[in-house]
Amino acid sequence: VRGTTGSIGYRYKWAIEEAKKNILRTHTTAVSTRTLFELAADFKPMKFFSIDRVFRNEAMDATHLAEFHQIEGFIIGPDLTLGDLLGSIQEFFRRVGMPRITMKPAYNPYTEPSMEIFAHHPILNKWVEVGNSGMFRPEMLEPMGLPSNVRAIAWGLGLERPTMIKYGINNIRDLCGHKLDLDFVSSNPACRLDK
């Protein structure tokens, strides 16, 4: 069955019993979706950000945690483009002191085009994925009643990976848990934007 925007959906059998099951949140996109819906009632161009905890079925290693914080943001306005998204991401990482980033195409069910964001970790001497981004699909925006020329550019970033790169930490597990160095925490600011 096609939606009103021409989407053919995921083409799988949907079951309400499955949809009612509780799971730990794997991303914060539901926060952005709810905000977009509320914004549609009285639209004006805006910027939104949220920070919350998410959970993944991941084996823990130097760059992976099973529980971490996701920073999600979106900008909504008329005629935004992929160039606006690229520029916003580059400027954000430049301001937090991480000018070496790269992006590659990716798949997200709610954005198109979509891109993974990687930052260079100088100690590990490798590119580490720090987030995902894209432009919300018309199938998300139009049914909410937003004007047809309105676009939303969005990104979701893990807080811990950029933090480990920013402070030169080579193991993400040193940022939390029983191995956390409290002297490191007290001697570094909670938030610092480089000029």
Side-chain angles (χ1 to χ4, degrees):
V1 176
R2 288 187 180 271
T4 58
T5 60
S7 172
I8 58 172
Y10 294 114
R11 294 175 273 180
Y12 66 90
K13 186 172 177 168
W14 186 81
I16 195 163
E17 299 80 25
E18 194 67 25
K20 286 184 175 181
K21 290 181 180 178
N22 288 327
I23 62 168
L24 296 172
R25 179 174 48 196
T26 59
H27 55 80
T28 56
T29 305
V31 175
S32 292
T33 304
R34 182 178 62 243
T35 304
L36 284 166
F37 178 75
E38 292 167 357
L39 180 62
D42 184 27
F43 172 73
K44 56 184 171 241
M46 298 188 89
K47 299 176 183 178
F48 291 90
F49 299 90
S50 68
I51 301 175
D52 216 332
R53 197 171 355 181
V54 296
F55 307 87
R56 303 277 170 87
N57 185 11
E58 300 257 1
M60 290 178 53
D61 62 23
T63 60
H64 292 85
L65 294 171
E67 176 182 342
F68 61 94
H69 295 85
Q70 184 170 355
I71 303 166
E72 184 158 305
F74 71 87
I75 301 171
I76 186 166
D79 305 315
L80 292 172
T81 67
L82 181 59
D84 295 312
L85 175 61
L86 295 170
S88 296
I89 291 169
Q90 289 167 342
E91 181 65 11
F92 172 84
F93 280 104
R94 186 191 66 76
R95 287 191 182 203
V96 296
M98 297 170 54
R100 289 191 67 194
I101 65 164
T102 189
M103 293 170 247
K104 73 173 190 175
Y107 169 78
N108 292 315
Y110 34 84
T111 60
E112 179 63 37
S114 304
M115 297 171 298
E116 292 176 334
I117 308 164
F118 295 83
H120 189 263
H121 192 304
I123 293 174
L124 297 177
N125 195 29
K126 70 176 188 175
W127 292 92
V128 176
E129 182 185 351
V130 292
N132 219 307
S133 64
M135 298 186 67
F136 276 117
R137 298 172 65 98
E139 295 93 318
M140 281 195 61
L141 302 178
E142 290 176 14
M144 295 180 188
L146 289 160
S148 62
N149 70 325
V150 168
R151 303 288 180 265
I153 56 176
W155 55 90
L157 313 170
L159 176 63
E160 289 77 4
R161 285 184 188 165
T163 300
M164 70 183 281
I165 294 170
K166 174 75 177 173
Y167 290 103
I169 297 168
N170 65 0
N171 192 325
I172 200 167
R173 295 169 290 193
D174 292 340
L175 288 173
C176 57
H178 68 284
K179 292 184 174 185
L180 179 63
D181 179 356
L182 294 177
D183 289 331
F184 172 80
V185 172
S186 64
S187 64
N188 286 285
C191 179
R192 178 180 70 204
L193 297 179
D194 294 338
K195 295 181 181 187

